[in-house]
Amino acid sequence: MDTRNCINESLVNKGHHAFRISEKRSHLRAFIAGCLRKFIPARSREGGTRSEAEEKVYSWIYTLAQADKDMVFEYVKSTERGLSFKEAERRLKEGGRNIPVDHTFPSWWQLWWNAFLHPFNIILVVMAVLSYLAADNANGSIMLILVLISVGLRFHQEYNSSRAAMQLSELLKSPVRVQRCAGRVIQTELVVQIDQRDIVPGDIVYFSPGDLFPGDVRLLTAKELVVSQSSLTGESGTMEKIANIREDRRTPLLELKNICFMGTSVVSGSGTGLVISTGSNTYMSTIFATLGKEKPPDAFEKGVLCASYALICIMMLPLIVNTNLAKGAIAMARGRCIVKSLSSIQNMGAMDILCIDKTGTLTMDRVIVIHHLDSWGFPSERVLKFAFLNSYFKTELKGPIDDAILAYVYTNGYRFQSSKWRKIDEVPFDFIRRRMSVIVETDLNTILDDTCPGIETASCVITKGALEEVLNICTSIEQIDSGVTAALTPEDRSRVLQKSEELSNDGLRVLGVAIRKMKTKNISMSNYTAIESNMVFLGLISFFDPPKDSAKQALWQLAERGVKAKVLTGDSLSLAIKVCKEVGIRTTHVITGPDLEVLDHDEFHETIKRVTVLARLTPIQKLRVVQSLQKVGNHVVGFLGDGINDSLALDAADVGISVDSAASVAKNLADIILLEKDLNVLVSGVERGRLTYGNTMKYIKMSLVANISSVISLLIATLFLRFEPLTPRQLLTQNFLYNIGQIAIPWDKMEEGYAKSPQHWSSKELPIFMLWNGPVCSIFDVATFLFLWFYYGAYRVSASEFFHTAWLVEGLLMQALIIHMVRTEKIPFIQDMASWPVIFSTITVTAVGIIIPFTPVGKVMGLTYLPLSYFGFLVILFLGYFTLGQVVKRAYILTNRQWL
């Protein structure tokens, strides 16, 4: 039971991460801070006042928990054979797809309403109403036109992003094994895989380690079933579940032994269950309706949130950020990479350490059998035979190793007569024991070799797993040729381990095979620890999983971009070193899980900082490694894993990455899903993340510079003028046109070297950037003010229209120039050109700013014609700003060693 407790404590699914890729925020703060959301209630609402819907769900679950199995089928109107395909289809049409209410995408009118509810729009609407009340219909109409344009632009972007997110979500499938019956006259039971969203009440589902429950389930059978309910309780404990029990009404809901809830996951064991509730009728949906908890924002989200408050009057900040992230998600989808969490794109750009598993990532995950050897290192068909029987009768977590053994036996003509053997039970694999066993029996009269002398019916425990773990449960060893067993001596153990080391050094993975014979009547299935004891060691079986040709190049490209790779694997150290050498990962500093356990706190963190290969790790050790890199090393950590043993590390990492063929719990916790096991996809993802971050920083910094300088300039002008420098509608129009010019920023390009290094958010950087560059613009705004005052005499009230026009045009053109000055650390237009969308948008806005005083709209806004001499002055002014701005830019870069 100690081992089982270790499993319970180690493998914990830390939360049901709801798929939020398309959620659009109804206002600025919710948009920025809520990019990632997961609903994790801190405690049950047991004992509180429940709504009518909650009471209905509770009553239904308790009714099923108290009923026996026969009555359970009656309640849900199903049978022990399962539903027919026709009946399941009817229920699906009647009850709808199995999707929690929180997973629905917003409708077009919700997007339109969200686009309208923005501070900028509210201000304009209020001003428009006041204008109409004051009989200033022209002003009111202009304000409303600005609102319509603003809402239309936001709606267009949000609608396209939402539609793309819906298309991407269709690519993510969560298959569930379901028992259905088919046939009109004679019905046949079939176990098929269907999408979780097509599960209906009455379905019989099969589950094993790593699976998520697709609905609320009443257990029918359970074998050593341990479930993590942390997605509902918020606590890291696990719970053993039992099928053959009738619960009491006094038992707290989440402590019901025979009920498993939607969103919880299987830690170990297996079983079958009857789905009693799906979709919005599940217990999880009642939580979504009442409780919620936001995931703490990372440094980037906090920074953008602060910027949004600093620029609260700028309507485009959420739009630019969202467009940047959505554009990146769509681009990554084209590269066979599905983004579940939009903010993870930026985290990909900031990532500087990537922790990866060896199997399937550095290797091709196409395993082939190389050797089957006895304990002395000679080929042994007997070892292959029992390895084959183990894989043949194994049903839970069948993987590439089992497929390789079966394929080797079938293709090489071996005849091990599996039909003569009958399976009694199996002890499933877990990541603490690192082995699995099957219990089989055979009639000796039908077997040619004397498998178990003196016993008419032979029962055998056949164990296969990690070599050291198999040796640990063996007390005997089979002698060469004779088949006689002898006590396992330290010399035997050393010889076997030495042979394993030789094979591992050749890049082979080595497993051990052992058996124990017993009488059928003496088998006790309740004590698995006793079953896997006093085993007879038979020999070794080795496998080769060739390294990927693309892995070495991809790792080199990641290293070139400042992303260091660390290998975290459960395989042997010698095998991990061999593979890492072949793909170009340095193996100067390596360590194993058992060696990590004996280190003290400081030594542990120092070792993690130094090593590149960590082998024989347990799931909890992988978690500790990731946390050490984050908290002590101050790194942004990505973790690529696809197994149940990776779930803790995936959840803790800044960027959790999995593959489409991964275990359900791994895919559920990941932020990014790779449709192909190819590291080259990550290379493009890292670049896309850095481009997204760079373009976001462009907008934030140019907006800070433009707005701070504008505020300073307006304040100075207001102190000396007897009229306002710009009327409110003129100021809003200028601000609106400037933001229109910035809308193409997500389509801008970055400088060649920008994506070569990780990009981290710095909370101290923005104020420094603003103090350096904001006053430069104000200097030239003041120069314009002095020119208008002394050259045109525009300080008089009678010249206010001329001053307003000149100031508006100069400010708008200055802000357009700021876009090009801030977007690159080089000399704009000479050393670096913006992308054509940015050039087009700024030229358009500049042209509108120059032309608008000569139009009827300009007259309504109180603008007048400008002389050509003023435009001549602006040319000289902007050349001066261009020169001084570039000098300040170079000084800033030399001082702070970065620009964006």
Side-chain angles (χ1 to χ4, degrees):
M1 291 300 293
D2 292 339
T3 299
R4 194 174 306 136
N5 290 336
C6 290
I7 301 171
N8 297 354
E9 294 300 323
S10 300
L11 293 176
V12 179
N13 173 1
K14 294 189 73 182
H16 178 72
H17 289 226
F19 184 61
R20 304 284 296 175
I21 160 179
S22 68
E23 178 103 27
K24 301 299 177 283
R25 309 299 181 247
S26 60
H27 50 79
L28 188 59
R29 187 183 190 282
F31 170 81
I32 300 298
C35 291
L36 277 170
R37 309 199 79 171
K38 56 182 181 180
F39 291 86
I40 308 178
R43 57 186 174 85
S44 170
R45 289 186 65 205
E46 206 79 42
T49 303
R50 293 194 289 261
S51 67
E52 183 179 346
E54 289 178 291
E55 191 62 49
K56 185 178 179 181
V57 170
Y58 277 56
S59 177
W60 173 248
I61 291 175
Y62 273 114
T63 299
L64 275 295
Q66 292 174 278
D68 59 29
K69 292 181 182 178
D70 293 334
M71 286 302 299
V72 169
F73 284 107
E74 290 293 328
Y75 277 122
V76 298
K77 299 178 181 179
S78 185
T79 68
E80 293 183 356
R81 293 178 172 229
L83 299 174
S84 67
F85 287 92
K86 186 176 181 180
E87 173 62 17
E89 185 178 355
R90 186 192 68 80
R91 295 191 183 193
L92 186 62
K93 289 181 179 178
E94 183 180 286
R97 303 198 79 184
N98 181 27
I99 302 174
V101 292
D102 192 60
H103 286 195
T104 56
F105 290 93
S107 61
W108 69 267
W109 63 266
Q110 288 175 310
L111 292 175
W112 183 272
W113 180 249
N114 292 344
F116 174 76
L117 285 180
H118 186 277
F120 181 86
N121 298 327
I122 301 302
I123 291 171
L124 287 180
V125 169
V126 171
M127 293 180 67
V129 171
L130 294 176
S131 296
Y132 282 119
L133 292 175
D136 189 356
N137 296 333
N139 264 339
S141 299
I142 291 174
M143 303 283 184
L144 292 181
I145 290 172
L146 292 176
V147 170
L148 289 176
I149 295 175
S150 169
V151 172
L153 286 170
R154 286 194 52 139
F155 171 77
H156 176 72
Q157 293 287 356
E158 301 279 354
Y159 179 77
N160 288 341
S161 298
S162 180
R163 188 171 61 178
M166 292 175 66
Q167 293 171 351
L168 295 182
S169 68
E170 291 299 318
L171 297 176
L172 289 173
K173 305 293 183 182
S174 297
V176 179
R177 289 180 294 161
V178 177
Q179 179 176 302
R180 295 269 174 89
C181 56
R184 294 185 178 180
V185 180
I186 301 177
Q187 292 194 328
T188 305
E189 299 169 8
L190 300 173
V191 177
V192 296
Q193 277 196 343
I194 65 172
D195 186 42
Q196 174 181 324
R197 293 169 291 188
D198 295 331
I199 293 292
V200 296
D203 269 330
I204 296 176
V205 295
Y206 287 70
F207 42 84
S208 56
D211 289 342
L212 293 170
F213 289 99
D216 291 341
V217 172
R218 169 60 157 90
L219 292 178
L220 301 177
T221 63
K223 183 190 299 181
E224 294 292 300
L225 183 62
V226 177
V227 173
S228 168
Q229 297 187 158
S230 59
S231 56
L232 303 180
T233 63
E235 300 172 358
S236 59
T238 57
M239 183 176 184
E240 186 174 3
K241 295 288 186 175
I242 304 171
N244 299 319
I245 186 175
R246 293 177 65 179
E247 286 287 8
D248 190 276
R249 180 78 187 190
R250 292 169 295 182
T251 305
L253 187 75
L254 293 179
E255 295 180 17
L256 296 173
K257 294 282 189 180
N258 58 3
I259 298 292
C260 295
F261 299 95
M262 184 180 194
T264 60
S265 60
V266 180
V267 174
S268 62
S270 61
T272 60
L274 183 67
V275 178
I276 60 176
S277 300
T278 59
S280 59
N281 295 319
T282 59
Y283 173 72
M284 173 174 282
S285 292
T286 67
I287 295 176
F288 281 172
T290 55
L291 291 175
K293 177 181 176 182
E294 289 188 1
K295 183 176 180 177
D298 57 23
F300 176 72
E301 291 173 315
K302 290 177 181 177
V304 174
L305 179 59
C306 293
S308 70
Y309 285 134
L311 305 173
I312 192 65
C313 63
I314 305 302
M315 68 170 181
M316 294 295 180
L317 180 59
L319 177 61
I320 295 294
V321 174
N322 185 45
T323 302
N324 254 323
L325 297 176
K327 185 173 178 289
I330 296 170
M332 292 178 69
R334 296 193 189 103
R336 309 288 292 166
C337 181
I338 305 304
V339 178
K340 290 172 58 182
S341 166
L342 287 180
S343 65
S344 64
I345 300 174
Q346 188 279 328
N347 288 337
M348 283 278 283
M351 179 177 68
D352 55 1
I353 287 192
L354 176 63
C355 298
I356 53 181
D357 188 20
K358 176 188 70 66
T359 305
T361 304
L362 301 180
T363 61
M364 299 183 69
D365 206 12
R366 297 175 185 170
V367 185
I368 55 175
V369 176
I370 303 298
H371 303 108
H372 41 94
L373 310 174
D374 62 20
S375 58
W376 290 86
F378 294 102
S380 170
E381 187 175 311
R382 184 170 170 81
V383 172
L384 180 63
K385 172 183 177 178
F386 284 101
F388 166 79
L389 291 174
N390 178 283
S391 295
Y392 182 85
F393 288 108
K394 178 182 178 181
T395 57
E396 298 180 22
L397 290 178
K398 212 160 191 169
I401 292 290
D402 302 295
D403 295 337
I405 293 174
L406 298 177
Y408 181 84
V409 169
Y410 293 142
T411 56
N412 286 277
Y414 292 100
R415 297 181 180 276
F416 293 138
Q417 297 180 301
S418 57
S419 60
K420 304 296 184 181
W421 295 79
R422 296 175 294 277
K423 176 182 174 181
I424 299 175
D425 207 344
E426 71 179 279
V427 183
F429 177 89
D430 67 56
F431 298 97
I432 304 300
R433 290 167 40 253
R434 298 200 301 154
R435 60 179 181 263
M436 72 82 51
S437 302
V438 296
I439 305 167
V440 294
E441 67 176 6
T442 184
D443 186 352
L444 289 184
N445 294 328
T446 64
I447 302 299
L448 296 178
D449 62 331
D450 191 10
T451 305
C452 301
I455 306 176
E456 293 183 358
T457 301
S459 296
C460 293
V461 181
I462 307 173
T463 300
K464 177 178 90 267
L467 179 61
E468 291 192 20
E469 302 300 335
V470 172
L471 284 172
N472 288 340
I473 59 173
C474 291
T475 57
S476 305
I477 188 169
E478 193 169 77
Q479 296 290 349
I480 185 172
D481 296 332
S482 64
V484 178
T485 60
L488 179 66
T489 64
E491 291 77 14
D492 293 326
R493 183 184 179 92
S494 177
R495 184 183 66 252
V496 171
L497 291 176
Q498 183 177 355
K499 183 62 180 178
S500 172
E501 187 74 13
E502 293 174 3
L503 295 173
S504 295
N505 289 335
D506 290 334
L508 303 181
R509 182 176 181 181
V510 181
L511 299 183
V513 181
I515 63 170
R516 181 163 73 91
K517 306 166 187 176
M518 62 178 70
K519 292 184 179 180
T520 305
K521 63 181 180 180
N522 292 334
I523 296 177
S524 174
M525 298 304 164
S526 61
N527 191 346
Y528 284 170
T529 304
I531 291 174
E532 290 184 332
S533 62
N534 301 318
M535 305 288 288
V536 178
F537 184 78
L538 293 185
L540 314 168
I541 185 165
S542 68
F543 307 86
F544 180 59
D545 187 4
K548 285 183 176 177
D549 295 334
S550 61
K552 187 172 185 177
Q553 180 186 4
L555 289 170
W556 179 80
Q557 290 179 336
L558 286 171
E560 194 180 41
R561 288 159 177 78
V563 181
K564 298 178 181 178
K566 290 182 181 287
V567 175
L568 280 59
T569 180
D571 288 337
S572 67
L573 180 60
S574 54
L575 175 57
I577 291 175
K578 173 69 175 179
V579 173
C580 288
K581 284 182 177 179
E582 292 192 17
V583 297
I585 296 178
R586 296 180 61 183
T587 57
T588 308
H589 301 289
V590 299
I591 198 169
T592 64
D595 293 334
L596 279 178
E597 287 297 319
V598 300
L599 301 178
D600 62 31
H601 183 269
D602 294 333
E603 289 177 330
F604 176 86
H605 293 303
E606 187 60 32
T607 301
I608 296 304
K609 178 181 178 181
R610 186 177 65 254
V611 299
T612 54
V613 180
L614 300 94
R616 295 178 58 199
L617 295 183
T618 64
I620 198 67
Q621 287 173 332
K622 290 185 178 182
L623 170 65
R624 291 180 62 203
V625 169
V626 170
Q627 291 176 334
S628 174
L629 291 169
Q630 290 172 318
K631 297 177 182 178
V632 179
N634 198 28
H635 294 287
V636 178
V637 181
F639 188 92
L640 173 57
D642 60 359
I644 306 159
N645 56 328
D646 298 321
S647 59
L648 292 175
L650 277 169
D651 189 37
D654 298 288
V655 187
I657 309 164
S658 192
V659 294
D660 192 38
S661 58
S664 295
V665 66
K667 289 196 293 184
N668 186 63
L669 291 172
D671 302 305
I672 293 174
I673 304 291
L674 307 182
L675 298 183
E676 296 176 1
K677 286 187 177 181
D678 190 350
L679 286 176
N680 285 299
V681 177
L682 290 183
V683 176
S684 62
V686 168
E687 290 184 342
R688 174 56 57 184
R690 292 173 184 176
L691 293 178
T692 299
Y693 176 82
N695 283 331
T696 302
M697 290 306 299
K698 285 179 188 178
Y699 176 82
I700 293 175
K701 288 186 173 181
M702 63 181 59
S703 294
L704 281 173
V705 170
N707 284 274
I708 294 301
S709 64
S710 179
V711 169
I712 294 173
S713 302
L714 286 171
L715 179 61
I716 293 173
T718 303
L719 292 176
F720 292 94
L721 292 173
R722 287 179 291 174
F723 54 86
E724 54 192 6
L726 288 176
T727 64
R729 61 184 174 184
Q730 291 168 351
L731 181 61
L732 287 171
T733 302
Q734 183 191 64
N735 187 52
F736 176 77
L737 290 174
Y738 172 57
N739 281 287
I740 294 297
Q742 292 175 307
I743 201 170
I745 290 298
W747 284 267
D748 196 16
K749 61 183 181 179
M750 296 299 300
E751 292 165 1
E752 187 176 346
Y754 188 81
K756 294 295 185 181
S757 58
Q759 303 298 329
H760 299 282
W761 177 275
S762 173
S763 59
K764 299 178 181 178
E765 181 189 352
L766 286 182
I768 297 173
F769 187 90
M770 184 172 57
L771 290 174
W772 272 74
N773 295 275
V776 177
C777 301
S778 296
I779 289 172
F780 291 91
D781 286 339
V782 172
T784 303
F785 173 76
L786 295 174
F787 181 74
L788 293 174
W789 182 291
F790 292 105
Y791 188 80
Y792 292 110
Y795 57 86
R796 296 183 294 271
V797 175
S798 59
S800 61
E801 284 192 1
F802 176 77
F803 187 95
H804 290 160
T805 307
W807 191 269
L808 182 143
V809 172
E810 183 272 341
L812 186 58
L813 270 59
M814 174 67 77
Q815 290 175 338
L817 185 57
I818 288 172
I819 293 176
H820 292 275
M821 288 292 292
V822 172
R823 64 161 295 278
T824 178
E825 65 180 42
K826 298 179 180 179
I827 302 175
F829 309 116
I830 299 174
Q831 293 180 329
D832 185 74
M833 288 290 291
S835 63
W836 71 263
V838 174
I839 294 175
F840 177 79
S841 65
T842 52
I843 289 177
T844 301
V845 169
T846 300
V848 170
I850 294 173
I851 295 172
I852 196 170
F854 302 93
T855 65
V857 175
K859 292 182 180 180
V860 172
M861 293 179 61
L863 303 178
T864 187
Y865 299 156
L866 292 173
L868 288 177
S869 59
Y870 180 70
F871 291 102
F873 164 76
L874 290 182
V875 171
I876 298 172
L877 182 82
F878 294 145
L879 285 174
Y881 168 70
F882 188 87
T883 303
L884 181 59
Q886 196 63 32
V887 171
V888 173
K889 182 194 295 185
R890 297 313 305 169
Y892 178 88
I893 293 173
L894 289 173
T895 304
N896 297 279
R897 301 186 181 279
Q898 66 175 3
W899 180 244
L900 292 176

